[in-house]
Amino acid sequence: MGVDVELIRRLAAAQWIGVELIDVDKGEWVTVEIPPGLSDSDRQIVIETARSLAHRLAGESDGNESL
């Protein structure tokens, strides 16, 4: 059937507890609680900031100093 059970599990959990799952890189996810009432553009800012922070921290943990 080709269903990614892990993805469905994550999305169900996100919907159940009211968080946003942000795919940051090849199946790695960050879970972020986004305050209710934000506009779509403000939600996108939160998502982009979380994704950027995850990439920065991953770069630091790999010894990458080009931040």
Side-chain angles (χ1 to χ4, degrees):
M1 185 172 192
V3 175
D4 184 349
V5 176
E6 182 63 25
L7 176 60
I8 291 172
R9 194 176 297 145
R10 289 175 188 263
L11 294 173
Q15 182 178 12
W16 181 258
I17 60 177
V19 295
E20 184 81 29
L21 288 175
I22 301 166
D23 187 6
V24 292
D25 189 30
K26 299 177 185 148
E28 294 182 11
W29 299 81
V30 173
T31 304
V32 177
E33 184 174 351
I34 297 181
L38 288 183
S39 68
D40 287 342
S41 61
D42 288 342
R43 288 178 64 83
Q44 193 59 38
I45 290 169
V46 172
I47 291 168
E48 290 170 5
T49 301
R51 187 175 288 133
S52 175
L53 179 59
H55 284 287
R56 267 186 89 174
L57 293 174
E60 288 175 1
S61 67
D62 292 341
N64 182 354
E65 299 298 327
S66 63
L67 303 175

